[in-house]
Amino acid sequence: MGNTTDFKHFTKQSKKGILVIYINLLYKVFKAIWVLLFLFIQKFSKISEDKLVYIYGFIAFILLFFLIRAYLIFKNFQFKIDKEYFVLKQGIFKKTNTEIPFDRIQNINFKQNIIQQIINVHEVNIETAGSTKAEISIKALAFNDAKALKNAITIYDKKETIVEKVTKEKPFLKIGFLELLKVSLTENHLQSLLLLFAVLVGFFQQINDLFDGLGQKETIDKYISENTSALETSVFLIVGFLILLTITAVLSSVVRVVFKHFNLTVYIKNNALEIYQGLTTKKSVILKRNKIQHITIATNPIKKILGISFITFKQAISGKVAGKKQKDKIIRIVGCKTEQINQIKKLLAIHTQLEEIPFQKSNKYLKIRNYIRSLFFFIPLNLLFYFGMEEYNAFWINILVIPMYLISVHFFYKKRIFKFSEDVLCIGFGILETHNTYLPFYKVQNIKLKQTIFQERKNVADLIFQTASGKLKIPCIDLEKAMFIYNYTLFKVESSTKSWM
Amino acid sequence: MTNLFQNNVVSTFPDITKIDFIKINKKYLKVILLNISLYFLLLLIGLILWDIYFLNEQIPNQKIYIYLCLILVFLFLYTVFIIGFSKRKYAVREKDISYKSGILFKKTTTVPYNRVQHIEIDQGPFSRIFKLAAISVYTAGDSSDDLKISGILKEDAIQIKEFISNKIDG
């Protein structure tokens, strides 16, 4: 490559980084005040011209302020490599110095959002695990520099001194556009719809809060109530609404999947998985084998017919990271065929002998408990119908909801299964979808046995496995079995010498 | 189901059912009761103040029920904690530490030493009077829910901490 950068002295990012930081700052501001901006534009015509000058001036001031801020952030963001430490100093007024030893670095990932793609720079994220708070994101580096930095850090990783200079390797998995479409069409659309709903609710909340503050809530409420009463009167509208909902659901799945997994390519190199994916935000992730805590292989009935599943990898997270970062550490690849699943299992030392072991079920108590719990929902609901409504038509809802609930519980119980071989525990769960989580015993951090007073009478217990990437639960199994697994897990953890991370 | 493992059973196979758990220090019950009483007093004072300043003549008849409710809730809490106290037990073994508690919701937790990230000892104000301490053992991941043993003598807590630290380093 003929690189001059060796990172021995303090280095700044690529100068293009100013632009990336700038746009990032502006985006944050925009996100915070977009509703106000929207209102402002609406009233734009009513503002007199001499006031307009001030407003333009103010906007220009804001833009300039953040440009200077972006420049200062850029100027003060410097990093170098000193022996086996990555050293970073940053901060405009409050200077911070961070030093990370190489063996604490879990991953080095490249990422490119749309702006970074246009100006051709890469964002480098250095992930650490454990209790340190440091998660470093270098916003803009030229590809060669990014690669050099990564090599400089990983070269000290003595376990992997084998030079990986095999170019043009055949990808282990590559998902083309058509295949991706197939994946997205068979997604759980209900889930996509819920996700979309959650986003819209958040969106709506923001608008509502604002109108609330401005004392205009009534107008919105009135608008909504007028429209809903119109909805109720027309059956056609309801049907239309349902069709629209279905289309929205399918469309949102397609968009979500295509944006996230566009051009998904996976390589297996040196016991690590290299994953590249994304349309507007390109991401490249290297998953080292021993950093993976557990994997979940999931499919649904339609995907099963097509013979595809998706795999979710979970890496270690530290207790203090916020929700968003936790999500970053969950990596999903889609459209895997049986052959690829087997290879990944092999990579993670999940032996095929596990397949031959039959699954064990949870105790029937789990099913009964869910039926009993449902009474606490359905009885008050019907009482509400009885006392709260004048018409009795509402009771028809029961005909729809109760069978749906019963079927859900049936599948929930049927799919709540587990099995284990000498080294690996496999937990199955799901209602519509089928999820199988594979957890090697030695990755368990601590184990809990829980029993309510009702469970005690039936002699069943819940088992909870705490791993570095979250909890896994086997609910309601016979106490004897639970005790056996409890003791066996402890035995496996305590006699293991492998590092879990 | 055990067929698969019969050849691996080692003589030191740990069995959680066969170990003797130690009850936590009896004095800790006083600490718990003091803590609950403190909450009770604070709520009571709050309620009385509320009563004097806001409730004056609005609902004179129902007033008594609110007080009764508060007292009942706290009586229930006292009973639960007093009965539950004898169920709080811990065990320190060669390779792991366990704690169990609960009457309505029983819970047993075991943390193997080779997964321990760090150990903390802390003392509340009441615990300090009785020379008691709590020891918390943290593992990786979401560490909010790891093992915490409250109500052991401070010397014991320090001993346990050193014992585990030695095991980790050694």
Side-chain angles (χ1 to χ4, degrees), chain A residues 317 319 420 442 444-453 456 466 468 471 486-488 490 493-494 500, chain B residues 1 5 10 14-16 95-96 104-110 112 114-115 117 139-142 145-146:
Chain A
I317 45 168
F420 52 96
Y442 76 95
V444 172
Q445 298 289 321
N446 68 56
I447 184 165
K448 277 190 178 66
L449 187 92
K450 279 188 177 174
Q451 218 179 13
T452 65
I453 198 158
E456 209 180 336
Q466 175 92 53
K471 281 180 202 142
Y486 195 98
N487 289 328
Y488 185 70
L490 283 177
V493 175
E494 284 161 15
W500 53 271
Chain B
M1 71 174 219
F5 305 108
V10 177
D15 190 345
I16 201 80
K95 285 185 171 161
D96 53 34
L104 296 176
F105 302 95
K106 277 189 173 182
K107 195 166 110 178
T108 311
T109 310
T110 304
N114 55 359
R115 294 290 178 272
Q117 296 282 314
T139 58
D142 173 26
D145 205 18
D146 288 337

Side-chain angles (χ1 to χ4, degrees), chain A residues 238-278:
Chain A
I238 294 174
V239 175
F241 181 67
L242 282 178
I243 292 171
L244 198 74
L245 213 62
T246 320
I247 295 171
T248 324
V250 175
L251 221 64
S252 70
S253 321
V254 171
V255 169
R256 196 167 52 93
V257 170
V258 169
F259 268 69
K260 201 165 167 216
H261 300 290
F262 184 74
N263 210 2
L264 170 68
T265 321
V266 182
Y267 296 94
I268 295 186
K269 275 182 202 164
N270 296 340
N271 287 332
L273 285 166
E274 286 190 30
I275 301 166
Y276 303 87
Q277 57 185 356

Side-chain angles (χ1 to χ4, degrees), chain B residues 85-141:
Chain B
F85 185 76
S86 61
K87 302 286 179 193
R88 297 176 175 223
K89 293 171 185 172
Y90 71 97
V92 179
R93 292 194 292 181
E94 204 181 314
K95 285 185 171 161
D96 53 34
I97 180 165
S98 309
Y99 180 62
K100 61 180 180 184
S101 64
I103 38 168
L104 296 176
F105 302 95
K106 277 189 173 182
K107 195 166 110 178
T108 311
T109 310
T110 304
V111 181
Y113 298 146
N114 55 359
R115 294 290 178 272
V116 172
Q117 296 282 314
H118 69 280
I119 309 162
E120 262 174 32
I121 293 179
D122 60 282
Q123 268 187 309
F126 289 128
S127 289
R128 207 165 294 151
I129 300 170
F130 297 99
K131 294 201 174 67
L132 297 174
I135 184 165
S136 308
V137 179
Y138 294 93
T139 58

Side-chain angles (χ1 to χ4, degrees), chain A residues 17 55 102 117 134 162 182 219 221 235 258 298-299 319 322 329 342 359 380 383 389 392 448 480 487:
Chain A
I55 289 165
F102 284 161
Q117 274 181 60
I162 320 137
K182 209 158 79 180
T219 41
D221 280 351
V235 182
V258 169
T299 186
K329 296 223 169 165
N342 285 338
F359 274 110
L383 283 177
M389 301 223 183
Y392 292 131
K448 277 190 178 66
E480 205 182 310
N487 289 328

Side-chain angles (χ1 to χ4, degrees), chain A residues 154-170:
Chain A
T154 42
I155 208 133
Y156 289 94
D157 204 345
K158 274 153 197 120
K159 284 164 247 162
E160 284 166 48
T161 34
I162 320 137
V163 188
E164 40 161 302
K165 275 286 155 281
V166 198
T167 41
K168 299 257 170 167
E169 206 176 330
K170 199 173 163 253

